Amino acid sequence: MGDLPVSPLVLIGVGSSFAFSGLFYHLYKGKKEELKKLKEIPIFKPDQHLVKVLKASPHRRLQYVAVEGLVQADGESLASQFVPRCYGVIQKIAVEEQWKFWNSLTKTWNSRTINRKETSNSVPFSLVSPGAFINDLYVKVQNPLEASGCYLDRVYFKRSRAEKGLADMVMNGILGEEPVAMEVSEELLRVGSTLTGYGEVVLEGGQVMRLQAPQDGRKFILVPTDHRSFMDRHEKSASMWKMLSAVTGITGAAILTKVICGLVGNQDGKSKKA
């Protein structure tokens, strides 16, 4: 090891830089491919143009498109259990306990979530164009709970510390477990929020349209934003991976160049002495 002209740490740094550059470039290529596929998906709003396209399509259906609109309950909406005058069409309430357990091997307390209870409620809803009236066109969303995507907005969260008496503290110390807190959260897909759905659109009859899970195996996705913002987020992600790939690659090349120059300089110095 003492005969090595270059420090092992330098070699590790060069190798790590090129390895991370390759990884980031792979992630960049994957995101660019995903972006390319997303840009190929037609985007519509719940309007007369979509009706005309559906009427001209085979079986009055579009296999995979994006529909952007505002969330509107078909009937009565769901009221938040914790926030006044806050309404939605999908509601999830989660209650969980935070405990800590004594690990006799590491002599430390480890946190763990137990007794998590989650309840979900939903009511039928549709997507409408901004400024639409009740009798205007809309796209009904079928089985939204089957869709993927983080489309719920957390409207309430409370963490309450566990109350412990003297007897509880003694027993917990003996058993090696202790309650820490109780957490309650509520998430809603709020009425009036912007939502973009990716899936199959069917014209049921007249001008009634339905967004549903695709029959060709592609994902049924709900995104809590407009289509342009969704695409911008993906483009920023691709740019980030590209930049990281370039930075780590340039760093590795710079270190390698410096090492090579140092080795050449040492060889020249030895030659002159000889």
Side-chain angles (χ1 to χ4, degrees):
M1 293 292 290
D3 295 331
L4 281 175
V6 181
S7 168
L9 291 177
V10 174
L11 294 176
I12 292 172
V14 172
S16 299
S17 295
F18 286 131
F20 278 115
S21 180
L23 172 62
F24 294 145
Y25 184 75
H26 174 73
L27 293 172
Y28 162 69
K29 292 291 288 182
K31 183 59 68 174
K32 286 293 288 184
E33 186 63 28
E34 184 180 356
L35 259 173
K36 180 182 177 182
K37 291 180 180 178
L38 285 172
K39 289 178 179 179
E40 293 172 353
I41 300 172
I43 171 70
F44 294 96
K45 294 184 183 295
D47 54 19
Q48 196 64 47
H49 173 64
L50 178 55
V51 174
K52 291 179 181 178
V53 173
L54 282 166
K55 286 182 177 180
S57 302
H59 309 293
R60 294 192 169 190
R61 91 177 46 231
L62 296 172
Q63 285 192 339
Y64 201 77
V65 298
V67 180
E68 174 191 321
L70 301 180
V71 174
Q72 175 182 278
D74 293 346
E76 187 176 351
S77 57
L78 298 168
S80 168
Q81 294 190 14
F82 306 99
V83 183
R85 296 180 296 280
C86 183
Y87 302 95
V89 292
I90 298 178
Q91 178 189 58
K92 283 187 180 180
I93 298 175
V95 180
E96 61 185 32
E97 298 177 19
Q98 297 289 335
W99 283 62
K100 61 180 183 179
F101 297 86
W102 178 252
N103 189 323
S104 57
L105 296 176
T106 60
K107 306 298 183 183
T108 57
W109 288 95
N110 298 326
S111 299
R112 191 186 308 167
T113 299
I114 64 173
N115 298 332
R116 178 180 172 85
K117 298 177 182 178
E118 186 175 285
T119 57
S120 298
N121 298 301
S122 65
V123 295
F125 72 94
S126 302
L127 299 179
V128 299
S129 294
F133 295 97
I134 296 176
N135 295 325
D136 283 349
L137 297 173
Y138 56 88
V139 176
K140 298 170 64 176
V141 181
Q142 180 172 297
N143 299 327
L145 295 179
E146 296 179 2
S148 59
C150 300
Y151 51 86
L152 298 182
D153 179 30
R154 187 162 79 172
V155 297
Y156 178 83
F157 178 79
K158 184 177 182 180
R159 179 183 174 93
S160 304
R161 295 184 65 85
E163 297 181 0
K164 296 171 285 187
L166 180 59
D168 293 330
M169 293 176 65
V170 173
M171 287 301 298
N172 292 335
I174 296 173
L175 297 174
E177 57 185 41
E178 183 179 334
V180 177
M182 175 80 74
E183 294 182 354
V184 180
S185 63
E186 182 183 28
E187 296 177 313
L188 286 175
L189 175 55
R190 302 176 71 165
V191 171
S193 62
T194 301
L195 188 73
T196 303
Y198 291 81
E200 182 179 79
V201 177
V202 180
L203 185 63
E204 294 184 331
Q207 297 192 125
V208 179
M209 296 171 283
R210 183 178 73 247
L211 174 67
Q212 61 188 21
Q215 297 180 4
D216 59 4
R218 283 184 278 186
K219 285 186 178 181
F220 182 27
I221 305 172
L222 297 179
V223 181
T225 183
D226 60 89
H227 181 260
R228 183 64 261 169
S229 298
F230 180 65
M231 296 298 293
D232 287 344
R233 192 161 64 245
H234 278 269
E235 288 173 354
K236 288 178 181 177
S237 178
S239 298
M240 179 191 68
W241 293 127
K242 183 179 180 180
M243 181 192 67
L244 288 173
S245 176
V247 169
T248 51
I250 292 171
T251 301
I255 297 173
L256 183 59
T257 301
K258 186 175 181 180
V259 169
I260 293 173
C261 290
L263 290 174
V264 172
N266 290 338
Q267 290 294 329
D268 290 343
K270 290 179 181 179
S271 299
K272 290 178 180 180
K273 288 181 181 180

